[in-house]
Amino acid sequence: MFQFLVVKPNEHQIDAVHKLAKEIGVDHVALKTAQIYDYKNGSDLMPTIDKYSRYQKEKDGTYSIKNELLSHCWKMWQSCVITWDGKVVPCCFDKDAHYVMGDLAQQSFKEIWTSKNYNSFRETILRSRDEIEMCRNCTEGTQVWA
C-alpha cells in the first residue's frame, strides 16, 4: 500500500502518485486527508479540493472540522500510547503528552488503565468531547481516507 498525505502543496501530484505506484508495482494507493493543528483561520496546507480536506470553510471565513464531535471514543477503552519515557497518554493525538494518565516508572499499566484519573478523562469524553482540546481536532468520526 502506498499512502499519500494530500496537502495543498502536493494535491496537484495525485495523478503522478497513481502513475508512480503502478510503475513500481504497488497494489493499492491510499490518499489520506491531513490533520491541521491550527485550522480555524485556514492554513497553507489545506487542500483546495474539498474531498481531500478534513475542514470546511464557514460563512464568516473561518474553518471548522467536518465531522460532528460525538461524545464517544473507542480508543479510550481499547488502546493508548506509551511515550519513549514511559508516560501513558490516551491516544496518538496527544503528540506532546499533555494528558498524561500515569508513568510506568511509578505504577503498573493496570493501575494506570483503571485509575481514577483515566476514568475521569473517559467520563469527560462521554459528557462532551469538546471539553478536551486535543479531541476537538480528532479524526474520530472523520473520513480520513479520500
Side-chain angles (χ1 to χ4, degrees):
M1 179 189 292
F2 187 132
Q3 292 185 20
F4 186 73
L5 184 66
V6 180
V7 289
K8 185 176 181 179
N10 71 13
E11 67 185 343
H12 69 281
Q13 296 174 312
I14 293 171
D15 288 339
V17 166
H18 285 283
K19 182 179 177 196
L20 174 62
K22 187 175 183 176
E23 287 173 7
I24 62 176
V26 172
D27 295 326
H28 177 72
V29 174
L31 302 175
K32 190 172 184 183
T33 62
Q35 176 197 22
I36 309 293
Y37 285 125
D38 188 18
Y39 61 85
K40 198 159 225 72
N41 294 311
S43 167
D44 292 339
L45 293 175
M46 284 184 182
T48 59
I49 304 168
D50 185 60
K51 173 181 178 178
Y52 302 113
S53 181
R54 295 183 190 184
Y55 309 93
Q56 61 193 5
K57 194 168 190 175
E58 300 296 335
K59 291 178 183 178
D60 66 359
T62 63
Y63 288 83
S64 65
I65 194 164
K66 287 178 181 176
N67 69 301
E68 182 181 351
L69 281 179
L70 302 174
S71 294
H72 66 79
C73 179
W74 65 270
K75 291 181 180 185
M76 293 303 104
W77 289 267
Q78 296 184 16
S79 69
C80 69
V81 171
I82 299 172
T83 64
W84 65 272
D85 57 353
K87 303 228 179 344
V88 177
V89 297
C91 80
C92 61
F93 273 82
D94 193 2
K95 293 171 179 62
D96 297 318
H98 292 294
Y99 301 93
V100 176
M101 299 292 113
D103 186 334
L104 291 172
Q106 300 170 13
Q107 301 167 276
S108 73
F109 181 79
K110 184 177 180 179
E111 288 171 324
I112 296 168
W113 186 256
T114 60
S115 70
K116 183 176 182 179
N117 184 38
Y118 219 137
N119 285 328
S120 176
F121 189 86
R122 291 176 179 118
E123 287 172 8
T124 301
I125 288 174
L126 291 174
R127 182 176 58 248
S128 175
R129 231 172 80 180
D130 197 41
E131 291 181 35
I132 301 169
E133 179 64 33
M134 75 171 177
C135 298
R136 291 186 201 136
N137 194 13
C138 175
T139 58
E140 178 73 15
T142 298
Q143 180 69 30
V144 297
W145 299 104

